[in-house]
Amino acid sequence: MISFNIPPYIGKEMDYISAAIKNRKICGDGEFTKKCNKWITEKTGTKGTLLTTSCTHALEMAAILADIQPGDEVIMPSYTFVSTANAFVLRGAKIVFVDIRPDTMNIDEKLIEAAITPKTKAIAPVHYAGVGCEMDTIMDIAQRYGLKVIEDTAQGIMSEYKGQALGTFGDFGCLSFHETKNYSMGEGGALLINSSEMIEKAEIIREKGTDRSKFYRGQIDKYTWVDYGSSYLPSELNAAYLYAQLENADMINDSRLSCWNRYYENLSELKDVGKIDIPFVPAYCKHNAHMFYIKAKDIEERSRLISFLKEKGVGSVFHYIPLHSSPAGMKFGRFNGEDVYTTKESERLLRLPMWYGLTLENVDYVCECIKEFYK
């Protein structure tokens, strides 16, 4: 059986977890948390990084830091995970969904401006499959209308748009280190803070509303409750697991890209004869091989293909159900404009196995099965 996903594991993870235990510091913000924060900051070029318990919590922190208030509106694609919307709904905001581009599955930047109202407070672009949204256009709109930009970069670590790391264009970027991501700590994430002035406030929110981070740095002799906040600090054990992979980030990235490219080469012939569609990556985008997907003709064909691959010992899955058509999406949001591509394209999309350790022989077999199906 070729699994759809296997969490990444390098081999040093247990050594680092043991080291964290021996250091008598397992609750967070120890040696490995600091190393992860430093690595991400240097790799992305952001002003500051805070490891979090999940990308969901990074998004929630970003919503608080962006001062999202009840009645505000936040524009985003409907084709995303529920956390993108929940972070703002929890602040009392209304979600305004707009259609996606069929080529990248990202928010259609040309539709954002028409969705802006006097209540609009922020734009939340989602970099699907680690391929960057059209950030030049999005940032231009945000600047002209005075809007915050919070990038859902859950799938985008190691990816770039025109040479700049995803997650560093807007006010905040939110990364995921869930077990399905390129680098994992089981459950975890990180908040990229792109303004030095916001780092201290973010630290306070993350540390339950206290100034404990300043206390740990020796800037104050005791810490106290200074503002609202919650517990967004991950365990040091999780950070130790993650750091083993960050140390080997290029090796993992190169391995995934090798498999991604093999899929692309093998399946291009089916695309050329009109049987399927395969991912499109703009020339100015550098992606991280987070996923390889194909698009079948329709939902019925996709369902048959999933069953066929399962019989052949291949795990494959569809992805998001558009949020605007869900009960909560209808309750907390609205779709602006026409749903031309969101539902149609989401019903065609099928994700193929992609994980560190997947072999080229595995990829070849998956492709052979898909070709057999389309014969």
Side-chain angles (χ1 to χ4, degrees), residues 2-301:
I2 301 176
S3 300
F4 166 70
N5 177 70
I6 295 178
Y9 183 80
I10 292 296
K12 290 185 177 180
E13 287 88 346
M14 293 307 296
D15 293 337
Y16 287 176
I17 289 171
S18 295
I21 294 170
K22 289 175 183 176
N23 289 342
R24 299 288 195 270
K25 177 67 176 173
I26 64 172
C27 68
D29 265 346
E31 172 192 357
F32 290 103
T33 304
K34 290 182 174 67
K35 283 182 175 180
C36 289
N37 288 342
K38 184 174 185 290
W39 187 95
I40 296 167
T41 299
E42 292 176 351
K43 191 69 177 179
T44 63
T46 188
K47 294 292 192 299
T49 301
L50 291 176
L51 217 59
T52 59
T53 36
S54 64
C55 184
T56 300
H57 278 168
L59 285 160
E60 288 178 16
M61 285 183 64
I64 294 170
L65 290 162
D67 194 32
I68 302 299
Q69 297 291 326
D72 289 342
E73 293 182 351
V74 179
I75 298 171
M76 67 180 65
S78 173
Y79 190 65
T80 183
F81 190 57
V82 295
S83 296
T84 317
N86 269 333
F88 304 103
V89 170
L90 284 168
R91 303 291 300 162
K94 185 83 169 180
I95 308 302
V96 178
F97 300 112
V98 298
D99 207 6
I100 58 170
R101 297 170 43 152
D103 55 356
T104 61
M105 302 297 287
N106 285 333
I107 189 169
D108 189 334
E109 70 282 357
K110 300 184 298 296
L111 303 178
I112 293 174
E113 197 161 3
I116 295 173
T117 74
K119 295 181 179 180
T120 306
K121 186 71 169 284
I123 306 169
V126 179
H127 302 297
Y128 188 72
V131 176
C133 298
E134 289 292 334
M135 293 310 297
D136 286 348
T137 302
I138 292 170
M139 293 309 299
D140 174 67
I141 293 170
Q143 287 158 11
R144 285 191 284 112
Y145 286 89
L147 305 177
K148 299 288 186 182
V149 175
I150 297 159
E151 297 174 68
D152 185 330
T153 322
Q155 302 170 5
I157 184 74
M158 300 286 281
S159 292
E160 298 175 356
Y161 171 85
K162 296 185 178 179
Q164 183 175 334
L166 300 186
T168 64
F169 290 85
D171 298 271
F172 306 100
C174 304
L175 303 176
S176 174
F177 297 115
H178 183 262
E179 73 164 36
T180 58
K181 300 303 187 290
N182 296 30
Y183 313 104
S184 175
M185 53 195 286
E187 288 280 0
L191 178 68
L192 306 185
I193 307 160
N194 298 321
S195 168
S196 299
E197 294 74 31
M198 298 300 291
I199 293 175
E200 184 175 325
K201 185 172 183 182
E203 288 178 338
I204 290 169
I205 291 169
R206 177 173 171 262
E207 270 285 17
K208 310 160 193 73
T210 73
D211 53 4
R212 183 155 61 175
S213 294
K214 293 174 73 174
F215 170 72
Y216 282 151
R217 288 194 293 268
Q219 295 172 280
I220 52 178
D221 59 3
K222 58 184 178 181
Y223 70 87
T224 187
W225 184 22
V226 296
D227 207 340
Y228 53 76
S230 190
S231 182
Y232 296 124
L233 176 65
S235 161
E236 186 70 0
L237 304 181
N238 295 69
Y241 190 98
L242 174 64
Y243 189 65
Q245 292 160 42
L246 296 184
E247 279 189 317
N248 294 275
D250 289 332
M251 179 180 72
I252 294 173
N253 196 54
D254 290 346
S255 174
R256 295 180 69 104
L257 282 168
S258 178
C259 289
W260 194 98
N261 290 332
R262 188 67 155 246
Y263 272 129
Y264 193 92
E265 292 163 7
N266 277 348
L267 295 174
S268 288
E269 61 185 73
L270 286 179
K271 176 188 182 300
D272 292 342
V273 296
K275 295 291 187 181
I276 62 172
D277 283 323
I278 57 179
F280 169 74
V281 181
Y284 45 81
C285 287
K286 176 184 174 183
H287 74 99
N288 61 355
H290 172 65
M291 75 171 78
F292 194 95
Y293 61 81
I294 63 173
K295 291 181 184 176
K297 181 178 67 175
D298 51 32
I299 192 170
E300 289 79 16
E301 182 175 278

